[in-house]
Amino acid sequence: MRARLLLAATLVLPLVTAVPAAARPRPSNVDLVNPMIGTTGTDPSEYGGMIPSTAPPFAMTRWSPMTRQNWVSRLPYHHDDTKITGFIGTHQPAIWMGDYGYVSGMPGIGDVKPGADARAMPFSHADEKASPQKYSVKMQAGGGRTIGAELTGTSRVGVMRFSFPADSSPNFVLDATRAGITGGVTIDPARREITGYNPDRQDSKLGPFKAPHFKGYFVASFDTPFTGYGTSTGSTVHEGERSRTDAGLGAFVRFPASARRVQVRIATSFISVDQARENLYREAPDPRGFDRVAAGTKAAWSEKLDRVDIEGATSDQLATFYTSMFHALQYPSEMSEYGRYYSAYDDKVHKGTSYTSYSLWDTFRAENAFLTLFAPERVDDMVTSMLQDYREGGWLPMWKNPTETNIMVGTNADSIIAEAIAKGFTGFDRKLAYEAVRKDATTPPDRDTELRFSDREEGTPVEARAGLTTYKQNGWVANDRTAEAGSRTLDYAYEDWAVAQVAKALGKTDDAKFLLDRSKNYRNLYNPSTGFMQSRNFDGSWADGGWTEGNQWVYSFDVMHDVPGLISLMGKEKFLALLDRHFAEGHNNHTNEPSHHIGYLYDYAGRPWQTQAQVRSIAAANYANRPDGLTGNDDCGQMSSWYLLSSLGIYPVNPASDQYAVGSPFFRKVTVRLPGSRRPLVVSAPGNAADKPYVQSLRLDGKPITRPFLSQRDLTGGGELRFAMSATPQPWGGNTPPGVR
């Protein structure tokens, strides 16, 4: 995320109306998802940053209606827009990132209109329906006529179905590239296909890996014969032309006037057109199988969302919860295609399983913990994918899209790997993992003493731990030499702790001790005269600024790996006074990730009842069932994961461990059937309500829990986690703050 604004909360009508259970079959929780949540806000880019996409979990390509062209800081759909310009297969993972290898298309009637503005059609939200498995809309085509569009998708194939008015000369325009980007298209009337490629990477200026052979390949296969065809460049039509390589390139096909319904399947690949065609045959082989694809995509979402049953929630809360699951289970996204993947690091095709869209500065905080619980079958491959990036590019990823972009700070892949080990995952090469995280901790990036490594600075090598040279020399990153030095210093201290856990697991005791000692470097930024963390220059003098998406208020609490040590450093009373002021004076900015753990810090200082109140307040202010219902960019599931875990009464303050701080559950009862668990986890809180945020007692399978902390094993073992709730603050958990594990 970059600099966000807090949106005001307003009331909305419930998404789901009450119907007697006996009058209807039990629906899937997929039906409760509202993909419009997070699709608008008061600022052009500082809002949820979501689109009503359709595809299964972790899909390689997501399919969305287009109301505008997308680029960095602009998504293809915005709820406030009034016209549809196309339907896109997008790989853009977050609003602040660029798209790559995308393809889009649009139906029309009468004259072919290749320009987005020329072909745009008005629509009404009343004629629009969105779900994880299907999007549909009616568009006004002029003269009182409408075109109906339906959209669904598999991981690598988008399927569109269009309904045309009678005798309307229907057509379809496909955009391969945009102005200034040279791509290729070929039309094969006999096969009813358009094939081609788009080499665009909107983030290509960032990072050292230029991937000169990168292409997003596609095969568009139609169920209806062509009566005409051609290519286009910009708004110019080249009638009858079958093949072209050019910039601003498109292709079009016409259908018989009698055609009332046309289906197109667009398969995508990063390997080749042939691989795209194989993906088509594997995932959507039926030329008229739209409904079958939609049903399969819904089943994929049901397998995840129907693992959770909630009692005691409003219809809006249900929509918020299951939409959060929908968001959190989209990323990282698949990069591999049936045993092979293209790597933009070394510009080659390899064997194996690969993922991309690693927003690690965001997702290491809670999104990854959510995945270890709800998608554990993916975790080993996700770690392996990062290790493949290390092999092919020399470093673990920071923000991979689909290669290193050097966006944000810190080497938070270290945390992901340490967390996987702490939580018992074994299906990746631990020796290689330690080699990779140790390099992060010990090797400065190239030109570390020459460059500032500012945000989105071009022409830089892999950023890794920029400023590590001065961090190793002084114990802090020098603010007068490296950008965002204060944040980096605190990040590196945390990441040192994470790498130390990996060292311990592999028996590297000397390395572990050295890194644990160095993880105390956060102390070097504490200015006792002000009571805040403060950046420092190379000579040791205090400096202004140096923070990433935050300020001294946020970063004075950014010691996730050693909260007891931070309390000791400040003094407990000063720590609590500063924490109280942080919330009372409005310094907590939940729209940016460095604030996400702060509400849980009272657990460590003997006042868990204040954590319980703050968590409820943060959730109420930042999440809602409406298009502007996410106050900050979701950032590949991090905002959503905060809500999901917090609603269960837990949060991973130190993500690199297996520990969760206890908060305040939102509902009376949640039954969770975690993958791989022998019995369900039941989070029960009888009588829980909005005016009962405080925990009076907690038991796990009848055994009293006296500390406000739980482990991964407590959760994955299943059983009943039973909260007794109260309308007034309770002393439970206040006498036993933990040590560091």
Side-chain angles (χ1 to χ4, degrees):
M1 299 182 185
R2 286 281 161 196
R4 319 217 178 119
L5 302 177
L6 188 64
L7 307 182
T10 58
L11 295 176
V12 295
L13 293 175
L15 177 69
V16 182
T17 56
V19 178
R24 56 177 172 78
R26 182 186 183 280
S28 168
N29 292 329
V30 178
D31 299 328
L32 302 176
V33 173
N34 177 8
M36 293 300 173
I37 292 177
T39 58
T40 189
T42 58
D43 185 270
S45 58
E46 303 302 343
Y47 63 100
M50 301 308 297
I51 57 176
S53 62
T54 176
F58 310 107
M60 186 178 88
T61 306
R62 307 203 66 80
W63 296 89
S64 172
M66 293 186 75
T67 61
R68 53 178 66 182
Q69 278 201 346
N70 58 318
W71 54 73
V72 177
S73 80
R74 181 179 164 114
L75 292 170
Y77 179 95
H78 194 284
H79 194 267
D80 294 351
D81 294 339
T82 59
K83 294 181 178 181
I84 299 285
T85 64
F87 300 90
I88 187 171
T90 177
H91 306 108
Q92 186 173 10
I95 193 169
W96 286 109
M97 306 304 294
D99 206 345
Y100 55 92
Y102 48 88
V103 60
S104 62
M106 181 68 170
I109 57 177
D111 294 338
V112 170
K113 300 174 183 177
D117 292 339
R119 70 183 181 221
M121 298 184 199
F123 76 105
S124 166
H125 292 305
D127 294 324
E128 183 185 39
K129 295 181 181 179
S131 69
Q133 74 276 11
K134 180 181 175 181
Y135 171 89
S136 64
V137 68
K138 290 182 180 179
M139 302 176 290
Q140 303 303 313
R145 296 178 295 178
T146 63
I147 296 177
E150 299 170 281
L151 178 65
T152 188
T154 66
S155 181
R156 301 164 186 86
V157 183
V159 185
M160 305 177 198
R161 186 165 62 188
F162 305 114
S163 299
F164 295 100
D167 299 320
S168 59
S169 301
N171 60 67
F172 181 84
V173 178
L174 181 146
D175 287 339
T177 66
R178 297 175 183 173
I181 305 298
T182 298
V185 293
T186 298
I187 303 167
D188 187 337
R191 298 183 71 160
R192 302 177 185 174
E193 282 187 352
I194 303 173
T195 60
Y197 65 88
N198 176 13
D200 192 18
R201 288 197 303 119
Q202 294 175 351
D203 291 329
S204 62
K205 293 182 179 180
L206 302 177
F209 305 103
K210 297 311 175 186
H213 296 100
F214 169 83
K215 292 181 177 68
Y217 299 93
F218 60 84
V219 173
S221 178
F222 297 82
D223 72 341
T224 303
F226 306 157
T227 58
Y229 53 83
T231 68
S232 62
T233 48
S235 59
T236 302
V237 170
H238 307 283
E239 193 74 44
E241 187 173 68
R242 291 195 181 191
S243 183
R244 192 178 188 93
T245 301
D246 213 327
L249 182 63
F252 64 88
V253 294
R254 294 190 180 89
F255 309 112
S258 59
R260 299 296 303 276
R261 175 171 282 190
V262 174
Q263 182 169 298
V264 55
R265 299 165 293 157
I266 305 180
T268 62
S269 172
F270 298 121
I271 296 175
S272 66
V273 166
D274 287 342
Q275 182 65 51
R277 189 173 285 111
E278 180 180 344
N279 296 343
L280 176 70
Y281 294 153
R282 282 178 178 262
E283 298 183 11
D286 185 352
R288 298 182 178 177
F290 181 96
D291 292 329
R292 187 176 296 109
V293 170
T297 298
K298 182 175 183 178
W301 283 109
S302 294
E303 198 283 326
K304 290 300 184 188
L305 274 59
D306 288 348
R307 290 180 175 273
V308 183
D309 295 323
I310 301 175
E311 299 177 21
T314 67
S315 58
D316 283 332
Q317 287 175 321
L318 291 173
T320 300
F321 183 93
Y322 290 111
T323 304
S324 294
M325 287 191 73
F326 168 63
H327 289 161
L329 290 167
Q330 291 182 17
Y331 298 104
S333 57
E334 295 172 342
M335 187 79 182
S336 47
E337 307 172 50
Y338 299 101
R340 295 192 300 160
Y341 65 92
Y342 167 79
S343 171
Y345 288 90
D346 65 1
D347 204 32
K348 297 178 181 177
V349 175
H350 300 265
K351 292 182 179 179
T353 300
S354 182
Y355 289 84
T356 188
S357 305
Y358 277 107
S359 178
L360 296 176
W361 185 86
D362 304 291
T363 59
F364 87 91
R365 303 169 194 272
E367 158 76 359
N368 196 69
F370 172 78
L371 295 181
T372 67
L373 292 169
F374 285 85
E377 72 282 355
R378 300 253 181 180
V379 170
D380 285 327
D381 281 345
M382 288 176 176
V383 174
T384 296
S385 176
M386 294 192 298
L387 297 179
Q388 290 166 173
D389 298 339
Y390 168 71
R391 277 182 171 143
E392 293 148 17
W395 298 89
L396 288 167
M398 295 174 60
W399 221 126
K400 177 185 179 183
N401 189 48
T403 185
E404 187 55 64
T405 61
N406 280 346
I407 292 175
M408 308 312 292
V409 300
T411 54
N412 294 299
D414 305 341
S415 177
I416 302 294
I417 290 169
E419 182 178 12
I421 290 174
K423 293 179 176 178
F425 291 91
T426 60
F428 57 90
D429 187 335
R430 290 193 173 197
K431 289 183 178 179
L432 182 63
Y434 181 62
E435 176 187 313
V437 298
R438 189 180 188 280
K439 181 177 180 181
D440 281 346
T442 60
T443 305
D446 293 343
R447 304 177 65 196
D448 191 35
T449 60
E450 303 171 30
L451 301 172
R452 281 194 60 79
F453 287 100
S454 299
D455 181 45
R456 297 181 185 267
E457 183 175 347
E458 297 178 17
T460 60
V462 172
E463 184 172 311
R465 294 199 195 181
L468 184 61
T469 302
T470 58
Y471 179 83
K472 292 169 68 175
Q473 183 175 345
N474 292 350
W476 64 85
V477 180
N479 193 64
D480 50 350
R481 299 192 178 185
T482 306
E484 302 169 279
S487 297
R488 293 184 195 274
T489 299
L490 298 175
D491 284 351
Y492 299 172
Y494 167 75
E495 290 149 5
D496 280 345
W497 191 91
V499 177
Q501 308 314 302
V502 183
K504 272 200 243 180
L506 273 76
K508 309 291 186 180
T509 55
D510 290 343
D511 284 358
K513 181 181 184 306
F514 168 76
L515 290 164
L516 283 175
D517 289 343
R518 206 173 71 172
S519 74
K520 307 295 185 183
N521 276 348
Y522 67 86
R523 297 174 178 174
N524 295 327
L525 293 196
Y526 183 63
N527 186 342
S529 66
T530 64
F532 289 96
M533 294 291 180
Q534 191 169 349
S535 301
R536 303 182 77 164
N537 293 319
F538 182 75
D539 64 5
S541 59
W542 298 111
D544 294 328
W547 306 119
T548 302
E549 299 192 3
N551 55 28
Q552 63 179 1
W553 280 98
V554 171
Y555 278 97
S556 291
F557 300 108
D558 192 34
V559 183
M560 297 177 290
H561 62 292
D562 188 15
V563 181
L566 176 63
I567 295 172
S568 177
L569 177 66
M570 291 184 172
K572 182 176 178 180
E573 295 308 314
K574 288 184 178 179
F575 175 85
L576 284 168
L578 194 69
L579 196 54
D580 288 344
R581 286 183 60 198
H582 178 79
F583 288 103
E585 297 175 8
H587 298 294
N588 198 65
N589 182 7
H590 192 72
T591 68
N592 275 332
E593 279 78 4
S595 291
H596 280 195
H597 70 288
I598 297 177
Y600 286 89
L601 295 184
Y602 287 107
D603 276 358
Y604 295 80
R607 294 187 189 173
W609 54 90
Q610 287 186 260
T611 278
Q612 295 149 21
Q614 290 297 344
V615 167
R616 289 283 190 97
S617 177
I618 291 167
N622 291 276
Y623 300 86
N625 176 29
R626 59 175 186 262
D628 67 344
L630 277 175
T631 57
N633 301 156
D634 197 65
D635 285 336
C636 296
Q638 171 58 27
M639 280 281 288
S640 291
S641 293
W642 185 97
Y643 182 88
L644 292 165
L645 296 177
S646 293
S647 71
L648 300 178
I650 57 173
Y651 189 79
V653 171
N654 180 0
S657 72
D658 68 342
Q659 299 292 297
Y660 296 83
V662 174
S664 177
F666 298 170
F667 313 118
R668 288 199 306 269
K669 184 178 180 181
V670 182
T671 302
V672 184
R673 291 168 289 277
L674 294 172
S677 181
R678 294 181 179 178
R679 56 178 183 159
L681 171 68
V682 179
V683 180
S684 65
N688 197 6
D691 61 353
K692 290 185 176 181
Y694 299 106
V695 178
Q696 183 172 332
S697 66
L698 178 60
R699 293 177 177 269
L700 179 58
D701 275 349
K703 178 182 177 181
I705 302 294
T706 59
R707 293 156 34 110
F709 299 92
L710 295 165
S711 70
Q712 182 89 348
R713 185 175 298 179
D714 292 333
L715 306 174
T716 57
E720 184 184 25
L721 191 62
R722 187 178 182 88
F723 290 83
M725 306 302 293
S726 172
T728 59
Q730 299 293 310
W732 172 83
N735 296 322
T736 55
V740 177
R741 290 194 176 187

